[in-house]
Amino acid sequence: MADHRAGRPARLAPEGCLAQRAPTARPDGQLQAVLLDRDGVLNVNRPDHVTRAEQWRWLPGALDACARLTGLGLRLAVVTNQAAIGNGLLTAHELDRIHDHMAADLAAVGVPRPVILHCPHPSAARCPCRKPRPGLLTGALDRLGVRPAQTLMVGDHETDMMAATAAGCWSLHVRSGRGGPPAAQPGCLGSVPALREAAELVAAFATTDWRRPPLPRPDGRHPGPGAARKKEGARP
């Protein structure tokens, strides 16, 4: 949850903060963490907002995708705009209930509770934590103890890609939420159908140097690891 009194994300409770744990040792250059938008990436994006835990509906394959990502040794964080709070449609207490419900489902498939940060303000407030500004992402990076260049942001909207660019992270668009691929952004790897395919892409290139990541093809498919090795071994 974000604390906007000082313009910085609040400290997380120790049981919910992956940054309290020793980081998984991964070679320099490899991906370390994945930041996830929430609505349209993890759960079905409702036009009237998710305002009660009972309204939460996982997108097909999203739970398994999270398990696959953590199985690769990657850290997860959820970074979400929740203007429904600022607009009086949702309370902070109910948002906590929604996220507790989400975390319980993740725990059931072996995924530790991720870092969860949100911005409660509508766009008119111009909050530095509201995407497309980078505050939520930089807060998550601090808590995870990872560098932007080794972090991938997965989102369903152009504002997610813009926030990733502003924070210095890579990004990947999924089409499971609010429409088709956004305009090109520096560091955006392309567009895939949903989080399941995003996890497949990450798994295929888990040992790749992400300082020079491969790009998904425009149809959302990607070359296999063998193709990546061939490309890396090619001579100019």
Side-chain angles (χ1 to χ4, degrees):
M1 176 181 311
D3 179 359
H4 292 80
R5 291 172 298 180
R8 295 188 298 271
R11 292 182 180 274
L12 298 181
E15 65 270 19
C17 183
L18 296 184
Q20 301 292 330
R21 307 177 185 180
T24 303
R26 291 176 64 83
D28 188 49
Q30 288 188 12
L31 193 67
Q32 303 287 331
V34 178
L35 311 183
L36 302 168
D37 180 41
R38 199 195 76 178
D39 302 316
V41 176
L42 295 175
N43 62 290
V44 175
N45 195 351
R46 292 172 58 102
D48 56 346
H49 305 286
V50 177
T51 57
R52 301 192 311 276
E54 294 75 18
Q55 295 174 330
W56 180 273
R57 297 290 182 273
W58 285 95
L59 282 165
L63 266 174
D64 289 341
C66 290
R68 187 169 192 183
L69 291 170
T70 56
L72 294 169
L74 297 169
R75 297 174 170 213
L76 300 184
V78 177
V79 287
T80 175
N81 290 344
Q82 291 297 321
I85 295 178
N87 291 328
L89 303 174
L90 172 67
T91 66
H93 173 71
E94 189 60 35
L95 182 65
D96 287 342
R97 285 192 65 241
I98 292 167
H99 288 158
D100 287 345
H101 175 83
M102 176 188 75
D105 286 348
L106 287 169
V109 296
V111 178
R113 185 183 181 100
V115 167
I116 305 171
L117 299 178
H118 77 272
C119 176
H121 296 126
S123 58
R126 301 185 63 81
C127 175
C129 285
R130 180 179 170 84
K131 295 175 289 183
R133 295 175 179 83
L136 287 179
L137 280 67
T138 56
L141 294 173
D142 287 345
R143 279 150 185 74
L144 295 173
V146 296
R147 292 175 290 185
Q150 292 173 280
T151 303
L152 175 68
M153 172 74 207
V154 180
D156 70 322
H157 195 268
E158 185 175 25
T159 54
D160 299 311
M161 312 300 111
M162 294 170 67
T165 298
C169 302
W170 300 104
S171 63
L172 182 64
H173 176 263
V174 293
R175 300 189 291 274
S176 50
R178 291 178 284 180
Q185 287 287 330
C188 182
L189 302 181
S191 181
V192 294
L195 186 58
R196 175 165 42 200
E197 289 77 16
E200 290 175 0
L201 176 66
V202 170
F205 298 107
T207 59
T208 296
D209 187 339
W210 277 71
R211 291 168 293 194
R212 294 177 298 159
L215 297 178
R217 296 206 297 256
D219 60 5
R221 299 173 61 193
H222 56 81
R229 287 193 295 269
K230 181 177 179 181
K231 181 178 179 181
E232 290 170 359
R235 294 290 184 268

